[in-house]
Amino acid sequence: MSVFEKAIGWLAPAQCVSCSREGSAICNECAGHITRFGERCWRCNTLSSGSRTCDTCRRTGSPLYVYIATDYHGQARSLLSTYKFGHLRAAANPIAKIMVEALSEYQDTVLDYLVVPVPTATKRIRERGFGHSELLARQVAINLKFEYANILRRLGQSRQLGSRREVRLTQLTNSFASKNDRSISGQNILLVDDVLTTGGTVLAAAETLKASGAKRVDALLFAKRL
């Protein structure tokens, strides 16, 4: 967090999106009420130990494990909306902590990952003043004490928010490229993003990472749309 952002936080401290208590975008008590997505296959919702992708969904090129902290509703939705559309960068850390706690619950022994964000579209960065996925992934890496690398780039900047499922999936075909294959080769990658909708983003990014030589690709997301 920059000195300017710290100063803003001191002058106008963040308020909990649920109870309005000052000090954080979500207080510890309200964060504890956010329900977990649970150990399920991320695509078909079949119960699955450790959030492992089921054999059927693995045939689509899915990551081996996709960890999702919660569903996209209630407090979780309010928190994420405040972060992305309310431009509250300070919300990145409490969101990341919820994600890391979920990861620790789903995985007995957390692998030594290289944490990689799904890159934010350039247009969204200009509009919001920051890359929400990149900042979130940095906070995840800090909380896990893992290395962070922003090594994916978007090949297109099509707007996806609100698009039909068919359009979103078409837009994401071959939509990512790696900046440095040598940084990816042989690595266990933890791909980080905020919300899972169609799953096309995760599949496209994972495909790029695997093609660049990643040893294994898992994903960690804050919420899944119902």
Side-chain angles (χ1 to χ4, degrees):
M1 183 181 294
S2 69
V3 173
F4 175 75
E5 288 169 338
K6 288 180 179 178
I8 291 297
W10 181 76
L11 292 170
Q15 291 185 326
C16 175
V17 296
S18 182
C19 69
S20 300
R21 185 180 302 166
E22 287 189 352
S24 177
I26 187 165
C27 69
N28 291 334
E29 183 178 348
C30 291
H33 294 154
I34 291 179
T35 57
R36 291 283 184 257
F37 178 78
E39 296 182 66
R40 291 182 271 166
C41 172
W42 69 286
R43 298 214 77 190
C44 66
N45 292 331
T46 301
L47 292 178
S48 175
S49 177
S51 298
R52 183 184 175 95
T53 306
C54 73
D55 291 342
T56 300
C57 293
R58 277 281 289 162
R59 297 191 190 106
T60 63
S62 167
L64 184 60
Y65 288 86
V66 177
Y67 308 102
I68 302 171
T70 187
D71 294 319
Y72 186 66
H73 68 91
Q75 293 173 336
R77 181 171 183 170
S78 297
L79 178 59
L80 199 57
S81 295
T82 299
Y83 172 53
K84 292 173 65 175
F85 308 116
H87 311 287
L88 185 62
R89 300 188 197 192
N93 193 40
I95 293 172
K97 284 183 177 178
I98 292 169
M99 294 168 71
V100 169
E101 286 170 3
L103 174 64
S104 299
E105 291 172 10
Y106 299 155
Q107 194 179 91
D108 292 334
T109 303
V110 178
L111 290 176
D112 185 11
Y113 287 115
L114 175 65
V115 179
V116 175
V118 172
T120 305
T122 303
K123 183 178 180 180
R124 302 281 85 77
I125 293 175
R126 288 198 299 267
E127 290 174 351
R128 297 170 190 156
F130 70 106
H132 69 275
S133 295
E134 290 84 349
L135 181 55
L136 192 57
R138 280 187 182 277
Q139 291 300 318
V140 166
I142 289 170
N143 278 274
L144 287 170
K145 296 181 172 59
F146 288 159
E147 185 179 349
Y148 165 89
N150 185 6
I151 50 180
L152 287 177
R153 61 185 177 89
R154 286 184 178 267
L155 298 179
Q157 303 296 332
S158 298
R159 179 175 173 84
Q160 286 209 306
L161 185 63
S163 298
R164 296 193 317 275
R165 176 181 175 86
E166 294 80 5
V167 174
R168 291 173 66 94
L169 290 171
T170 299
Q171 287 174 346
L172 284 162
T173 303
N174 299 321
S175 56
F176 298 103
S178 70
K179 298 177 184 178
N180 187 344
D181 286 359
R182 282 184 289 183
S183 297
I184 299 171
S185 182
Q187 296 275 8
N188 293 317
I189 304 290
L190 185 64
L191 188 65
V192 173
D193 203 0
D194 57 343
V195 177
L196 178 72
T197 305
T198 63
T201 300
V202 169
L203 291 175
E207 181 181 358
T208 299
L209 291 166
K210 290 175 189 174
S212 299
K215 179 180 179 182
R216 169 171 161 174
V217 179
D218 295 335
L220 176 62
L221 300 106
F222 177 61
K224 179 179 179 179
R225 290 182 186 267
L226 300 175

